[in-house]
Amino acid sequence: QVQLVESGGGLVQAGGSLRLSCTASGNIFSINVMGWYRQAPGKQRDLVAKITHTGFKTYGNSMKDRFTISRDNAENTVYLQMNSLKPEDTAVYYCNYLVYGQSSWGQGTQVTVSS
């Protein structure tokens, strides 16, 4: 079992920046994919970005311009740097850990962008 602890969410004005962090603990495998998804009220959960243990990155639609994902394998931590935030970025952001087809989720961290 894997536990994910997220931090870094909050309230920010449009145009501002936030950095989310997620640390995995428990039964960690070195070969994995860690990433971020987000879910706004009444909408489905969408991919923001994910990164493999080798550093290969995948971004969701229209995410790459303002968001940057990175990770520290030694610390089992994934980061999401979010710049030029917009009100439409308001959502709960969830950390995801994927290994051998098994997915674990964090509890989510709220990001609210005011106009």
Side-chain angles (χ1 to χ4, degrees):
Q1 190 172 357
V2 174
Q3 295 79 43
L4 301 171
V5 178
E6 301 143 330
S7 62
L11 173 64
V12 64
Q13 288 188 332
S17 298
L18 284 174
R19 188 191 194 208
L20 306 183
S21 300
C22 172
T23 299
S25 62
N27 191 21
I28 302 297
F29 288 84
S30 59
I31 300 174
N32 61 66
V33 181
M34 295 186 72
W36 293 94
Y37 291 73
R38 70 183 186 184
Q39 188 168 21
K43 296 189 176 181
Q44 67 180 20
R45 190 173 296 187
D46 292 327
L47 172 69
V48 177
K50 57 184 178 181
I51 182 169
T52 70
H53 64 288
T54 59
F56 184 80
K57 304 174 186 179
T58 302
Y59 288 90
N61 292 335
S62 303
M63 302 292 182
K64 190 174 183 179
D65 291 343
R66 298 179 293 118
F67 296 175
T68 302
I69 193 168
S70 60
R71 64 185 289 165
D72 182 336
N73 287 338
E75 298 294 329
N76 296 316
T77 298
V78 63
Y79 304 97
L80 183 69
Q81 178 66 43
M82 305 186 293
N83 298 326
S84 302
L85 283 162
K86 304 175 181 179
E88 51 263 43
D89 294 317
T90 295
V92 178
Y93 285 70
Y94 294 93
C95 180
N96 178 263
Y97 172 91
L98 179 67
V99 62
Y100 299 122
Q102 298 296 315
S103 193
S104 299
W105 294 93
Q107 79 282 0
T109 185
Q110 177 71 45
V111 171
T112 302
V113 184
S114 63
S115 57

